[in-house]
Amino acid sequence: MDSQTSNVDTMTSQATPDTSATSAPSAPMSNVPDLLRVGTIPDNTVIDVETDILDSVVFNQTFCRFQLQNKGILHSNSKISISASITSASNVRAFFPANIGVHSLIDRAVLKAGTKTLCEVEDFAHFSAYQSLFVSGEHNKEREAYTTARVMNHEPFYMNASKTGVTAGSNNASLIGQQNASALQKGIQLDRDLDCFEGDTEYQNPQEFGNTVLNNFQMVGYNPQFQINLSDLFPFLKTAQLPLYMMKEPVSLELFWTDRNASNRVCAESAQTYNFNADIVQTKTQMIADYIYYPQEMMEAYAKQNANLSFAYVDYRLAKRTVNESSGRNLILNIGGAGRICNKVFQMLSLDSDTGDILPLANFNSTGPAPSVTLEDTSSTNGSLTYNLRYNDHFLFPVDVDNSARHFHNIVQTEGKVPFVVRQEYAGEGLVLGGQFEGYSNATALTNKFFYIANRLNRNERVNSRGIEAYVDYQTLTAGSYTLRFYVELVRMAQLRNGVLEIQYA
């Protein structure tokens, strides 16, 4: 593998390797297309897809394992279907966290070939909270609400005129006969638009002013069944697929569930009492595996040409630490990566006391430094995080970054896409959130809860033996215990030789 490692070391065209292509240096040139590439292939041929619904071979309330069959090519959009139920107090309005949906049930996801770990994501629900930032509002509204239970769709709330003949409150007495044209606030909306009839008594009960409520099929009490893509569990599958028919070792998928305590798995309507647990339903927890088949002669030719198949992909390593409002100041943390090729680092800070009976996001969020912001107040101040990374004896930024707008810009530069959050949700600025979601005030529950930090390591260098150091200074945290998490994206190499997979870091 020395020659392959040196090839990775000399990459200069981009920070992230092209995981959409595979290589077989010793194989002769052929017109056989790359069957593992996600997307179109330069060939007109018939593709057959066989779908198997697999039950788990091991299942309990802490762990689950699925065993794949070594046939065809595993489609990256194969699904894991999951369902949960409330063991008691089934009348409680319980639901999955609004930002990540059913992903809240998974604590760790592991993909194995034989006894070797191909890919692993720890604290997966927190990892998914960051990845969910980049799912658009319309996608959440029209698709994810039905497939994964993610419902973070922002739309404006309008102040509507009072109905003629209805006694109006003092706040909108002057609006009688006016048009619904003033978008005053933004909040979470689902599959219906809400008018803000503030002050009209007939709209006070049972649904209060601007309160969005979930549909029955999204409530845990109705035992809904949702699904997760394999490519969401293991991001490298977004660009590559597994040639199971070429692998002699058994391929298994292991899921470690989050704690059975309901506040870690689901959320409850505001002011509800937690007197129940949420259990994962075994009979509804299955793997829908799609196996792709090309014409037999093409698959045989591909296997013969790629008897020694190698590809680069990315994996993630987690480093975390517990801090509070005082120990979160002037931190220098070694977050790993020594001797590895690292592409990017992203960070989050979660308040340990955030649970599903306090927030509609449960604990799967990232708290930012608390600002002091009020409308038309010149004494308003922003919260501040001073941040930098140091590796190979150089800082990533010549001057530490402390501006929240620059932090947001760095996420865009790192991921190449914009997070779908508003300013108030990211850094507590803007003051545009209004209305309610399942009884929670959006302005209270969502403010400053999406403050993620991400940076791409831009020098295409292998990290030396000292590793990556994060310089972190949260200057205005509110009191409490927090967990600080860093995810480091590493490059790994996999080689499939005569049906046996060998894995190592690049």
Side-chain angles (χ1 to χ4, degrees):
M1 295 299 294
D2 292 340
S3 62
Q4 294 165 347
T5 303
S6 62
N7 288 337
V8 176
D9 286 335
T10 57
M11 287 190 305
T12 57
S13 61
Q14 55 184 8
T16 304
D18 182 8
T19 58
S20 64
T22 55
S23 61
S26 61
M29 295 297 292
S30 172
N31 60 356
V32 178
D34 188 352
L35 302 183
L36 305 188
R37 184 184 182 93
V38 173
T40 59
I41 59 175
D43 193 82
N44 295 323
T45 186
V46 176
I47 301 176
D48 293 326
V49 179
E50 177 184 330
T51 300
D52 287 351
I53 299 179
L54 307 176
D55 292 318
S56 56
V57 296
V58 179
F59 184 92
N60 53 50
Q61 290 301 316
T62 59
F63 175 77
C64 176
R65 178 186 291 124
F66 294 96
Q67 190 77 43
L68 293 167
Q69 299 184 54
N70 291 57
K71 62 182 184 180
I73 299 173
L74 181 65
H75 198 292
S76 295
N77 283 336
S78 297
K79 317 289 185 185
I80 300 291
S81 69
I82 304 179
S83 178
S85 65
I86 298 176
T87 57
S88 60
S90 59
N91 60 330
V92 172
R93 290 187 59 83
F95 55 92
F96 294 108
N99 58 332
I100 64 172
V102 76
H103 298 80
S104 65
L105 298 178
I106 300 176
D107 181 62
R108 183 156 63 101
V110 184
L111 185 64
K112 289 186 175 181
T115 59
K116 299 178 286 290
T117 298
L118 179 62
C119 187
E120 178 180 9
V121 180
E122 297 183 82
D123 284 5
F124 173 77
H126 290 276
F127 176 88
S128 178
Y130 173 75
Q131 301 295 335
S132 297
L133 287 177
F134 308 101
V135 181
S136 66
E138 58 268 24
H139 198 76
N140 275 328
K141 179 178 182 178
E142 298 174 3
R143 178 176 175 83
E144 297 296 313
Y146 305 95
T147 57
T148 65
R150 289 188 283 205
V151 295
M152 286 296 294
N153 170 48
H154 301 86
E155 292 187 22
F157 291 105
Y158 289 94
M159 177 66 75
N160 196 16
S162 297
K163 282 188 174 182
T164 304
V166 175
T167 302
S170 59
N171 291 333
N172 65 350
S174 62
L175 293 178
I176 296 177
Q178 294 185 15
Q179 295 181 349
N180 184 356
S182 299
L184 303 179
Q185 299 167 322
K186 292 182 180 180
I188 299 177
Q189 291 198 32
L190 304 176
D191 53 0
R192 51 195 176 276
D193 293 329
L194 291 182
D195 290 322
C196 297
F197 291 95
E198 185 176 13
D200 285 351
T201 56
E202 68 174 30
Y203 293 96
Q204 292 297 318
N205 294 304
Q207 182 170 301
E208 295 183 2
F209 158 61
N211 185 28
T212 300
V213 294
L214 293 163
N215 296 289
N216 287 340
F217 72 86
Q218 295 164 314
M219 308 307 296
V220 181
Y222 287 81
N223 296 349
Q225 190 169 12
F226 294 103
Q227 64 186 30
I228 301 175
N229 280 3
L230 287 192
S231 57
D232 289 337
L233 288 170
F234 310 107
F236 85 94
L237 290 176
K238 294 183 184 295
T239 54
Q241 299 175 133
L242 290 180
L244 297 179
Y245 79 104
M246 297 171 57
M247 302 173 69
K248 296 180 180 179
E249 299 171 296
V251 178
S252 60
L253 188 154
E254 298 179 351
L255 301 176
F256 295 80
W257 308 121
T258 49
D259 292 340
R260 185 170 178 263
N261 185 306
S263 63
N264 294 304
R265 289 183 174 179
V266 299
C267 303
E269 182 186 23
S270 178
Q272 288 281 3
T273 301
Y274 261 74
N275 57 352
F276 63 92
N277 286 323
D279 282 352
I280 300 169
V281 182
Q282 180 176 1
T283 56
K284 293 186 177 182
T285 301
Q286 298 172 313
M287 181 174 182
I288 298 96
D290 292 330
Y291 302 97
I292 302 174
Y293 291 91
Y294 296 92
Q296 183 176 358
E297 61 275 9
M298 180 182 293
M299 296 184 71
E300 290 177 352
Y302 183 84
K304 183 178 180 180
Q305 177 184 340
N306 295 280
N308 185 3
L309 176 71
S310 63
F311 59 92
Y313 66 99
V314 295
D315 200 3
Y316 296 87
R317 286 295 172 263
L318 170 66
K320 60 182 179 180
R321 177 172 175 174
T322 300
V323 299
N324 57 33
E325 68 277 11
S326 58
S327 62
R329 299 295 311 275
N330 300 315
L331 287 174
I332 302 177
L333 304 175
N334 191 303
I335 58 176
R340 314 297 187 204
I341 296 178
C342 304
N343 295 323
K344 67 181 178 183
V345 176
F346 59 91
Q347 165 195 332
M348 62 200 70
L349 181 73
S350 302
L351 182 61
D352 296 337
S353 60
D354 283 349
T355 55
D357 55 348
I358 296 176
L359 288 179
L361 313 175
N363 186 245
F364 311 118
N365 60 78
S366 182
T367 301
S372 175
V373 180
T374 55
L375 289 174
E376 299 180 357
D377 186 352
T378 57
S379 64
S380 295
T381 57
N382 296 334
S384 178
L385 164 65
T386 302
Y387 178 86
N388 210 337
L389 293 175
R390 180 183 175 89
Y391 67 104
N392 293 355
D393 301 322
H394 296 281
F395 283 102
L396 180 62
F397 302 105
V399 178
D400 294 345
V401 179
D402 61 0
N403 184 283
S404 60
R406 179 62 189 273
H407 289 314
F408 190 89
H409 169 79
N410 288 340
I411 295 179
V412 178
Q413 294 298 105
T414 300
E415 301 292 343
K417 44 193 174 183
V418 178
F420 287 88
V421 294
V422 300
R423 287 178 62 199
Q424 189 172 350
E425 291 173 332
Y426 184 73
E429 305 168 9
L431 303 182
V432 296
L433 290 174
Q436 298 176 333
F437 175 76
E438 285 292 336
Y440 294 95
S441 166
N442 288 324
T444 302
L446 305 182
T447 296
N448 213 26
K449 289 299 183 182
F450 294 83
F451 191 78
Y452 293 88
I453 305 296
N455 290 284
R456 181 167 292 279
L457 309 188
N458 54 13
R459 294 196 293 268
N460 297 334
E461 300 173 351
R462 182 181 298 277
V463 178
N464 62 20
S465 59
R466 188 171 179 174
I468 302 172
E469 294 177 334
Y471 287 68
V472 181
D473 183 7
Y474 283 94
Q475 299 174 16
T476 54
L477 283 180
T478 56
S481 175
Y482 297 82
T483 300
L484 181 61
R485 292 177 173 86
F486 295 88
Y487 284 91
V488 182
E489 184 181 276
L490 309 174
V491 180
R492 302 187 77 183
M493 298 292 297
Q495 184 172 28
L496 184 61
R497 180 182 301 166
N498 297 322
V500 178
L501 195 65
E502 299 175 2
I503 305 168
Q504 66 180 16
Y505 287 101

